[in-house]
Amino acid sequence: MSISFRLGAAALMALLVLSAAWAHDFTLGSLTIDHPWARETASMARAGGAFMTIENKGGTPDKLLRARSPVAARTEVHTVIRDGDVMRMREVPAIELAPNSKVELKPGGYHVMLMELKAPLKAGDKFPLTLTFEKAGEITVDIVVEKLSGPQTDHGKMKH
Ligand SMILES: [Cu+2]
């Protein structure tokens, strides 16, 4: 076996291991929760946002009702609305998951708001978040904290 083949194989293995780690999705009945993540928070921030893509592969609608996590004293499900030229976050009673569709929770849109954080969220950290769906029930997913990137236009500056 040549050296270059071995290196290639090693690189391929590393890539496979990495992509497996990053695939990071969870299944609950006909729901798939893909890539749940949260933004790193500034050291003084008391709140942070958690995001993910939820796909409903089933033929019946479901709803994300609420979430909870040991890292935050309270959580709310939020959306972002434009109010004049200010973006504001509003609590919503639920996120509707239509049959055979995907909903993306992302900065500037739907998110799980982690309120009264017990400690800042640091890039690379992982923590559990338990999601409650109206029909599918409960699942605990691992949230991976990612670095803040781009302009700081998220929760810190937004009004509730
Ligand atoms: Cu929010």
Side-chain angles (χ1 to χ4, degrees):
M1 193 184 288
S2 75
I3 298 245
S4 66
F5 178 82
R6 283 190 202 202
L7 282 177
L12 189 65
M13 276 304 293
L15 208 71
L16 287 174
V17 169
L18 260 178
S19 60
W22 285 109
H24 188 215
D25 62 16
F26 300 84
T27 301
L28 174 67
S30 52
L31 302 179
T32 304
I33 296 110
D34 190 32
H35 186 45
W37 65 284
R39 266 200 177 165
E40 186 176 46
T41 57
S43 56
M44 298 304 289
R46 300 296 320 275
F51 313 98
M52 68 205 72
T53 300
I54 305 173
E55 182 171 9
N56 181 2
K57 292 176 178 159
T60 51
D62 206 337
K63 285 177 187 176
L64 173 63
L65 298 176
R66 60 191 164 267
R68 64 176 190 274
S69 175
V71 302
R74 285 191 305 129
T75 59
E76 292 179 355
V77 179
H78 280 182
T79 190
V80 174
I81 56 156
R82 180 176 285 280
D83 178 9
D85 51 6
V86 184
M87 302 302 281
R88 287 177 194 275
M89 297 194 291
R90 283 276 181 279
E91 188 174 7
V92 291
I95 296 175
E96 307 277 342
L97 305 165
N100 299 304
S101 69
K102 263 186 199 180
V103 176
E104 196 182 353
L105 282 66
K106 60 183 178 196
Y110 283 128
H111 55 277
V112 172
M113 195 85 206
L114 305 160
M115 330 252 315
E116 296 166 47
L117 286 173
K118 293 167 188 172
L121 303 177
K122 292 203 181 66
D125 286 357
K126 275 189 185 177
F127 63 84
L129 181 76
T130 302
L131 303 167
T132 305
F133 297 94
E134 184 182 63
K135 300 213 179 71
E138 277 193 0
I139 186 174
T140 299
V141 300
D142 293 321
I143 298 275
V144 176
V145 181
E146 297 184 3
K147 250 192 156 31
L148 275 175
S149 59
Q152 247 285 38
T153 52
D154 67 330
H155 301 93
K157 283 189 178 168
M158 243 177 241
K159 300 201 168 73
H160 275 88

